[in-house]
Amino acid sequence: MKHIFFILLLAGGCLQAQVALNYNKRFVECEDKWVAFQLHEDSTSAYGFIYIDEDAGLTFNLEGKYKLTPEGKRRKTTIQL
């Protein structure tokens, strides 16, 4: 039991979140995945889900926008339609 706990503790310590966003994929490579787009003029970024619609083809479903705080954390902003 001690060995399993130690292995899980060691594996948990090695996990890290992605710090920076990489914008190096094409739309067709992001099918059935969550994506984030680069900054706009108002310093917000959009995020959403890309999927294939039977009628429209490759489709982006906008879920929201976020803005980076000075501390580097993401803050969700409202969507204005």
Side-chain angles (χ1 to χ4, degrees):
M1 185 68 176
K2 291 180 189 178
H3 298 292
I4 294 173
F5 178 73
F6 179 72
I7 291 171
L8 291 175
L9 183 65
L10 184 62
C14 296
L15 298 176
Q16 294 179 354
Q18 181 179 349
V19 178
L21 296 175
N22 297 322
Y23 304 104
N24 56 357
K25 301 284 183 190
R26 298 181 335 194
F27 291 129
V28 293
E29 296 174 317
C30 299
E31 178 189 340
D32 292 333
K33 292 187 176 28
W34 286 93
V35 296
F37 289 99
Q38 293 180 348
L39 293 174
H40 298 288
E41 294 81 29
D42 60 352
S43 70
T44 61
S45 297
Y47 66 94
F49 193 78
I50 293 181
Y51 64 96
I52 292 190
D53 185 90
E54 290 180 12
D55 297 326
L58 199 61
T59 306
F60 173 68
N61 184 24
L62 177 66
E63 292 292 330
K65 292 185 178 183
Y66 66 92
K67 190 176 225 180
L68 292 177
T69 63
E71 297 86 29
K73 295 185 178 182
R74 292 174 187 92
R75 183 178 57 119
K76 188 175 180 180
T77 61
T78 58
I79 299 177
Q80 297 177 0
L81 299 175

